[in-house]
Amino acid sequence: MDNLIIKPSYVTLFQCVGPECEDSCCYDWQISFDKKSYKNTIKHPLLATTAKTAFIETKKSTSDWADIRLTAQGSCPFVNEHKLCDIHAKAGEQALSHTCKTYPRIHKVIGGNKYESLYLSCPEVARLVLFSPDSFQFHSSISGVKQSSAASPMWLEKTHEYCLDLLVSMDVDWEQVLLAIGLLIKTCDQVRQNTLPIEELDKRLQQLKIYAQSGALTEQYKNLPYTPQPQMHAFMTVHNELCKTHSRGTRARFTSLNQAVGLLCNEENNYQIDGINQAWTEYAVPALVNHTDLFERYILYSIYHHHFPLMDSQQLSWEAFRLLVLDCFMIRCYLSAMAFENKGLSESDIVMCFQIYQVARQHKTEFVESMSKTLEECGIDSVPAAICLLKTNI
């Protein structure tokens, strides 16, 4: 069987905006050079002078031979006065390191098929994913590679497909979609552990659709309790970790978000979550009246990008679900804080809330590990407990 290349339109639509980028990847990022690119750069007559002080040799491997030494301003030393890359300008795209040549592009090979995507840590990618009407048109083509590879587990492919089905076919709010996905994931885990036959996934999908159509799913969501204490602990713990691990935590863009959070979560109000939830209802929801599909888009992106419920090539469906819910909770809180401070939300505010969070979420392993630890501390050990993070009590 021919292997496929699958890509959504946001991959083909993406174009780097260079100096117009509000959070350029030429600043504050660890940039690694492979051995060949490093050698070519230090020998290039138009780059050699800068290269003498621009690198730190690590020699970890031929693909990770040297790191860029950032300037005192946090920029790559090859960024010129026009905020463009001198390596690209003077030696061409082929001279770039693998990191610079590929970011924000990424792909995964699963069951022999190649799934192309982009990192949401890039502002322009976030803008496309969240707002472009054409971003989620999926295309497939024959890769031309017929190399045999291990088949992706049937339980994984069915669950992945069924999660997408639930997201696009159920006429309920995104929080209730996540509740349905969580219930599907519990069945998925039983199938994965061979305690249920795989046919149960098919039955579960149909049950959940009927459940949604009858209004029972909405009723179950409404009956879930409001849990401010776990919400507050989760938000403050994850936000503090974001402040600690974010590569741009001292820059104005991140600081503006942190200051907005501080207005609603501070010592004077004893760090109550109620203010954030109230701001969501009073300021964020009205501001998003023309963007009511934001979280549906984000969930769709996450399911595709991670090949959900796959998590870092490991078969950990329940953990992937918990993290997805926590992602939505954190981003919603950030949107609430920005809406409260600005008494509304601009497109730039929205992009910033999603993108800043993803800088740590998609690139910092220790940040993801701390998120899992926080979920344990909050007792998020069931689907209802996870979905309760999304309740606002308003």
Side-chain angles (χ1 to χ4, degrees):
M1 181 182 294
D2 290 312
N3 295 328
L4 300 176
I5 298 175
I6 297 101
K7 66 175 73 175
S9 291
Y10 66 75
V11 172
T12 53
L13 290 170
F14 172 77
Q15 287 186 321
C16 176
V17 296
E20 303 304 316
C21 182
E22 56 264 61
D23 203 11
S24 171
C25 53
C26 296
Y27 292 80
D28 302 303
W29 283 80
Q30 179 177 321
I31 304 169
S32 299
F33 270 64
D34 57 273
K35 185 176 181 179
K36 182 180 179 181
S37 299
Y38 167 71
K39 294 291 185 182
N40 289 342
T41 304
I42 63 176
K43 292 177 181 178
H44 195 284
L46 299 178
L47 301 171
T49 300
T50 302
K52 286 179 181 178
T53 57
F55 290 104
I56 304 169
E57 286 192 3
T58 59
K59 299 183 179 180
K60 296 176 183 176
S61 66
T62 55
S63 61
D64 189 359
W65 194 258
D67 290 340
I68 285 291
R69 180 185 282 112
L70 299 178
T71 68
Q73 292 73 40
S75 73
C76 172
F78 292 104
V79 174
N80 61 34
E81 67 273 17
H82 304 295
K83 297 184 180 180
L84 295 171
C85 176
D86 266 345
I87 296 178
H88 189 284
K90 295 175 180 179
E93 183 180 354
Q94 72 281 358
L96 294 171
S97 72
H98 179 75
T99 303
C100 298
K101 199 180 297 182
T102 57
Y103 181 81
R105 302 182 186 280
I106 185 177
H107 72 265
K108 291 183 178 182
V109 177
I110 302 171
N113 294 324
K114 182 180 179 181
Y115 296 83
E116 296 189 2
S117 188
L118 302 173
Y119 284 116
L120 208 66
S121 53
C122 167
E124 189 60 20
V125 173
R127 191 169 288 108
L128 277 173
V129 167
L130 297 173
F131 300 119
S132 173
D134 301 320
S135 283
F136 291 103
Q137 294 179 10
F138 288 85
H139 310 274
S140 64
S141 59
I142 296 173
S143 68
V145 177
K146 295 188 178 182
Q147 182 178 346
S148 61
S149 58
S152 182
M154 184 61 72
W155 67 262
L156 172 61
E157 293 309 310
K158 275 184 173 286
T159 305
H160 177 72
E161 177 187 342
Y162 291 171
C163 286
L164 291 171
D165 191 341
L166 290 172
L167 179 62
V168 301
S169 68
M170 293 201 309
D171 187 22
V172 294
D173 293 337
W174 63 269
E175 299 95 335
Q176 295 166 42
V177 172
L178 283 177
L179 173 57
I181 289 175
L183 296 172
L184 179 70
I185 289 297
K186 297 308 285 187
T187 301
C188 160
D189 273 347
Q190 291 177 288
V191 172
R192 178 174 62 86
Q193 295 163 7
N194 295 316
T195 58
L196 283 178
I198 196 163
E199 291 78 16
E200 290 300 316
L201 279 171
D202 307 326
K203 295 178 183 178
R204 192 57 163 154
L205 174 67
Q206 297 308 315
Q207 289 171 350
L208 289 168
K209 287 185 173 182
I210 294 170
Y211 198 42
Q213 291 169 0
S214 69
L217 185 69
T218 300
E219 193 64 25
Q220 181 177 351
Y221 179 76
K222 287 181 179 178
N223 290 334
L224 290 175
Y226 177 55
T227 55
Q229 189 169 354
Q231 283 191 26
M232 192 68 252
H233 180 76
F235 178 70
M236 290 306 300
T237 304
V238 175
H239 179 66
N240 287 339
E241 188 66 23
L242 186 73
C243 294
K244 185 171 70 174
T245 60
H246 203 288
S247 58
R248 306 167 195 178
T250 59
R251 294 202 173 267
R253 185 175 171 82
F254 185 91
T255 300
S256 65
L257 177 61
N258 196 30
Q259 288 176 342
V261 169
L263 290 176
L264 286 170
C265 283
N266 54 60
E267 293 180 2
E268 292 182 4
N269 64 23
N270 199 28
Y271 300 102
Q272 293 299 311
I273 195 71
D274 296 339
I276 291 179
N277 287 330
Q278 187 171 350
W280 171 253
T281 301
E282 292 187 7
Y283 297 102
V285 171
L288 296 174
V289 67
N290 294 322
H291 304 294
T292 56
D293 62 346
L294 273 184
F295 281 94
E296 285 88 349
R297 284 172 166 264
Y298 176 71
I299 294 166
L300 177 54
Y301 165 84
S302 296
I303 291 174
Y304 172 76
H305 181 82
H306 296 288
H307 206 75
F308 181 90
L310 196 64
M311 193 180 94
D312 297 331
S313 300
Q314 300 176 34
Q315 299 174 358
L316 299 171
S317 49
W318 167 242
E319 187 61 14
F321 170 72
R322 291 201 306 175
L323 289 171
L324 176 58
V325 174
L326 185 55
D327 288 340
C328 292
F329 167 70
M330 291 301 299
I331 294 168
R332 191 193 68 191
C333 288
Y334 289 140
L335 289 168
S336 298
M338 290 302 299
F340 178 79
E341 182 177 47
N342 298 335
K343 299 301 180 280
L345 287 166
S346 67
E347 183 176 301
S348 294
D349 292 333
I350 296 167
V351 167
M352 183 175 72
C353 290
F354 280 85
Q355 177 261 331
I356 280 182
Y357 175 74
Q358 295 299 327
V359 171
R361 175 68 169 92
Q362 293 188 325
H363 302 284
K364 299 286 187 179
T365 303
E366 64 270 30
F367 179 72
V368 179
E369 291 173 348
S370 74
M371 290 173 67
S372 295
K373 181 180 178 182
T374 299
L375 287 164
E376 294 296 332
E377 293 171 351
C378 293
I380 309 300
D381 56 2
S382 67
V383 173
I387 299 301
C388 281
L389 286 176
L390 305 175
K391 297 282 287 189
T392 62
N393 201 38
I394 305 297

